[in-house]
Amino acid sequence: MYRTARAAGPGRAAGMGPRGGRGLYVGRRAAALLAALLLALLAALLALAALYGRCRQEAPPPPAWTAAPSPAAPSPAAPTAPAAAAGSGRRLPRHLLPLHYDLELWPRVRPGQEGPFTFSGQVNITVRCRQDTDAAVLHSSGLRSRGAAAVRGPLPEPGAAVEVAALRQEAAGEVAVLELRGRLRAGRRYVLQLGFQGRLEEDLDGLFLTRYTDQGRSSMLIASQMEPTYARTVYPCFDEPAMKATFNIRIVHDPSYVALSNMPAIDVSEIKDENGSLWTVTTFNTSLKMSTYLTAFVICDFDYVTRTERGNKIRIWARKEAVKNGYVDYALNITGPIFSFLEDLLNVSYPLPKTDLVALPEFGAGAMENWGLMTFQESSMMYLPSDKFTSRKAMIAIIVSHEIGHQWFGNLVTMNWWNDLWLNEGLASYFEYLGATFVEPKLPLDKIFYDHVVQPVLREDNEIGVRSLSESEDKFKESFSLMSLFDSITYNKGASITWMLSGFLTEKLFIRALTSYLKEFSFSNANQDDLWTHIQKVVDAQDEVQLPASVKHIMDSWTCQNGFPVLTLNLTTGTISQERFLNKKNENSTDSYNNTWIIPISWMRNGSSQPLMWLDKSSKVFPEMQVLESEYDWILLNVNLSGYYRVNYDQLNLKRLARLLENDPKVIPAVSRFQLIDDVFALTQFGYVQIETALELTKYLAREDELFIWNVVLLNLVPENLESTLKNYEVYPLLKKYLLKRMLPIYHYYAGFIRQNIDALEDDYFAQVYLEKLFATACWLGLQDCLNLSSELYAKWMDNPEYKIPFLIRRTVCCYGVAVGSDKEWNFAWEMYNHTNSTKEDKDILLSAMSCAKESWLLYRYLQYGLSGTLFSSNCTSIVILYVVTKDIGYHIAWEFVTENWPLLSERYGKELLHDVLKVMGRFVNTDVQIQELQVFYNATLEEDERVATTLLLEFTKSENLERRELLIKVASWLQKNVDD
């Protein structure tokens, strides 16, 4: 499955790179206060956590100091076995093992009908009995039984049966229990026969219905999403990944639709229902042995494009107008080559005769790897033939490649249980980048991987409560949401440690081990120890690569421990020590953690690569790393971020690296420059080094020409959620002078392309992803050329509404076009927002741009427009308020507007709106008086428990703001001394 958050792709508005990172201004203090805050917020404000008024593609970025991420949406928990299976915890009893399903599904849907809709079906499951039992227990959730359940057998005795005394549904455990009058005998085979029916909802889980528009007509389709545990909501089954079986599937559907499933259709016939109406029956070939979560069904009125690659018939299905306009041609062009690339690389053939990829107008999972029938969010598959830029292609190639990678890692070989989900998702997330760069060779693979995968997860994998990559099954016994496993730890940390493993083994040995692993466990299941065993065999059979310990010992230190290490290098003694990277400002974080990792250290001395070293204890002396007398002698660890850890250098080495960067930055590889800056700001934030140390490494930036490095600098120096607040501090004019001096070379380089030949950037991936941030910062710092360029391009658009502002900086141009203009520019944005041809993305950019106005009356009028039910769809008002409240002059106006219009806003949005506005207002809270002003208002509007939680939120924010103020004084002091260097 491709996580929806990642599926946003490398667009400007929803970039795949890290967005709105905490930045250097957000410190952490008062752990006890935070703990109390979390408890109160969870208790009182859980329901308020989701963003409510989602009227466009993107709301303003959330404040980086938000106290706690909202919990993942709960999924049906894996069941607690009923009394018949006492002691087996949440898992099904192992008395019965499924061998084969005969499944018929009949969604009762006709085109143009109104709901509610239902589906019915019949499943006959052939099972092998492994232990005598008088009950058959299997998963079933939200289904009603239809007709009498029966048990035939033991097979092959003709007519033999075991009488069913009762069929009991246990909703809490999500199981159905067939209580039998006789016993099923170990070693014999039986057939469980169950009829069922359920509701067909529009909830994007299980079997669901979606409405969409195609060629101007309203249409409906039915699709499925089974992972992790939704198969049990569609048909009674043994819904665990290790309970693999073969499937014969039959779908009954309206004749105007086509039905798709995992295997090719082998027969299409007709039947009549009880009213004499005609239905089509599509029968599919017998599947390979697979897990229930991979079964898939689509019933639609789509068109497709097709080609065959090495006997694999590939079809891409989509809305008729999308197929006609060529929007899925790119996906078709890359799918076959990625399949062939992975077949050749892994030396394991794809075992199915066909693959359907379906672009769904609405899909909650991002994308899903169902064997033979992959499903995608439409936006993840569509490429406009007129689009010259590679970032969109890259996003499609990455997502398609991820799902194709799953055909081996997940479908052919599946993890035993969800605790090893990273064997599916981490490996697919690693291969997605290999596949994407195979079909798009101009993509800078290593830079994209570190920027999109390693760096974001290093930012998350440092909290005390973060879980390890592979958990023991025991942790899943209690109530646990399996959906919460589909997170950045599973995907990004899994991919990062895979990258590290491939690096120290060499790719040749790593792939050889994977081939052996895939061949042994094909059509079966494995856990991470099985993978380590196959890697160990390959390592033992050669003598080029020597490891300091067994593969299991090395890798368990990365997968079974929480977090990751930070290495500290003392240049004088050559000592490297390791400790878990935790927030030293938080008193609770440093006790009781005595973790040790077995760490591969790639390193460089004075620009020359050195042989790989290993740190396998808490501290070790490496004589090779002792510094010479020369002040130009320097050492770089973790070259190109090949290991999953951070590095803390002593002052001596840092000074030498800073001087080196100023004199000759290219001596340090680009990814290592990126890592050096990211590490030192993270070390600052967590109390390992002072902010001045981090700032020293920014002096060289006038010579930095890599946008992805500039992006990480700006995320730390100018966090997006603090742009409005920073202008209130004395640091702003100093930061402006210091940064603009260094930004000018890279700014003018790209401004030249924007003015003269933007098509020349069509292969510059990072320009398409991050140029917006560079230009937005230049304009925010008041660079006159940036403001002029925005005005010029905006005026050009006003003169000719057919003109397209370069999409790389469209959001910035629209914002500053309005900001430096008058009501004329604002009125044009309003007119274009209401233009019928505006896309969702256009509308969102304009919603944001209209909040950039510098005249108070325009912002107040904008908010008034937001209240009007005729001018906006009502759920946009909240977005308008949140856009205005995040602007430097907007927050006073928005707050006044909210308090004046509270009765109407409260009626329309409830307290969720107030909660979100308060979170943004919190950035401006520095004194007790300001807190009291806010309290006066919300004391009159909130319930008591909500008042307590909100007070805690503001108190915590005030302490953060005071800490930030102290930090900004230090930054201003440093800038004062260095601004003219």
Side-chain angles (χ1 to χ4, degrees), residues 42-80:
L42 284 173
L45 296 171
L46 198 59
L48 309 186
L51 183 61
Y52 41 89
R54 190 170 284 285
C55 73
R56 301 294 173 219
Q57 287 184 325
E58 179 186 73
W65 51 261
T66 303
S70 57
S75 85
T80 303

Side-chain angles (χ1 to χ4, degrees), residues 912-950:
E912 294 94 334
L913 174 64
L914 180 61
H915 179 250
D916 273 22
V917 170
L918 280 172
K919 280 197 297 191
V920 180
M921 290 298 295
R923 298 176 201 169
F924 304 92
V925 173
N926 292 304
T927 65
D928 290 331
V929 173
Q930 287 170 312
I931 285 188
Q932 282 160 11
E933 284 172 10
L934 293 177
Q935 275 177 325
V936 168
F937 174 71
Y938 66 68
N939 279 348
T941 55
L942 295 178
E943 302 298 323
E944 188 178 351
D945 57 343
E946 293 168 323
R947 287 205 298 270
V948 171
T950 310

